[in-house]
Amino acid sequence: MTEPIVEQIMAAVRSRMAAFTLAFRSTAKASWQPKDLTVHVHQGPLTPNAEMSCPGNPPAQAYDLQAIVAGITKPSDNDPTAIDTFRNRMAADIVKNATDAALWHQWGGLAINTVIGTAEPYVEETGGMHGVMVPFLITFRTDENNPYSVRS
């Protein structure tokens, strides 16, 4: 079965991050611990974009999709390297993997444009896990009455 365009885009994001060991949100065990250099791909808000929508028959509905790529850096306690160095490397690798394709911002012809947001560091509440989150704002269009059909 064909997936909606939004899911096809998220699959393309996950595919580009395949150079990392992907870990999708695991809630099966409360004791689950991520490994160093693990990348999570999360879908953020999906909001209509009236400015990029187009009239027609059928009209094209544009959306802004936030895809969040979160990289976990969990270095050894004995490693003297600053945690910011690990975060900077992880953020750079996330951007490199995302942009490693011709017309990378169109995600295989599914999107109109992509804007890379500000890489933000985060620290787990217990302080045991550090990482960086890189948001991508992906704009795409579908037929107003068919979210499975991409429109340019």
Side-chain angles (χ1 to χ4, degrees):
M1 179 178 167
T2 303
E3 296 289 349
I5 300 304
V6 65
E7 179 54 30
Q8 291 180 48
I9 291 170
M10 290 304 298
V13 173
R14 289 188 291 268
S15 175
R16 294 231 188 124
M17 294 301 129
F20 295 104
T21 303
L22 287 182
F24 304 103
R25 284 192 235 182
S26 174
T27 56
K29 295 181 179 179
S31 62
W32 178 79
Q33 289 292 316
K35 296 179 182 176
D36 184 30
L37 304 181
T38 300
V39 173
H40 299 263
V41 178
H42 304 275
Q43 181 177 327
L46 176 65
T47 55
N49 181 328
E51 184 179 329
M52 295 297 292
S53 294
C54 298
N57 189 10
Q61 175 63 54
Y63 296 95
D64 289 327
L65 167 66
Q66 186 180 47
I68 303 160
V69 180
I72 296 171
T73 55
K74 194 175 180 182
S76 165
D77 291 339
N78 299 325
D79 193 329
T81 307
I83 193 66
D84 287 339
T85 300
F86 287 103
R87 286 183 184 141
N88 292 336
R89 291 173 184 164
M90 177 62 80
D93 283 346
I94 289 170
V95 170
K96 181 180 177 196
N97 283 4
T99 61
D100 191 23
L103 298 175
W104 69 269
H105 61 285
Q106 293 181 346
W107 301 97
L110 297 170
I112 299 167
N113 195 26
T114 301
V115 176
I116 302 171
T118 303
E120 298 180 23
Y122 69 88
V123 179
E124 182 188 40
E125 291 176 11
T126 63
M129 182 173 60
H130 297 267
V132 63
M133 293 186 298
V134 180
F136 295 84
L137 186 65
I138 303 168
T139 303
F140 69 98
R141 286 189 198 111
T142 66
D143 285 340
E144 182 180 63
N145 61 354
N146 186 357
Y148 293 83
S149 176
V150 69
R151 290 276 297 268
S152 55

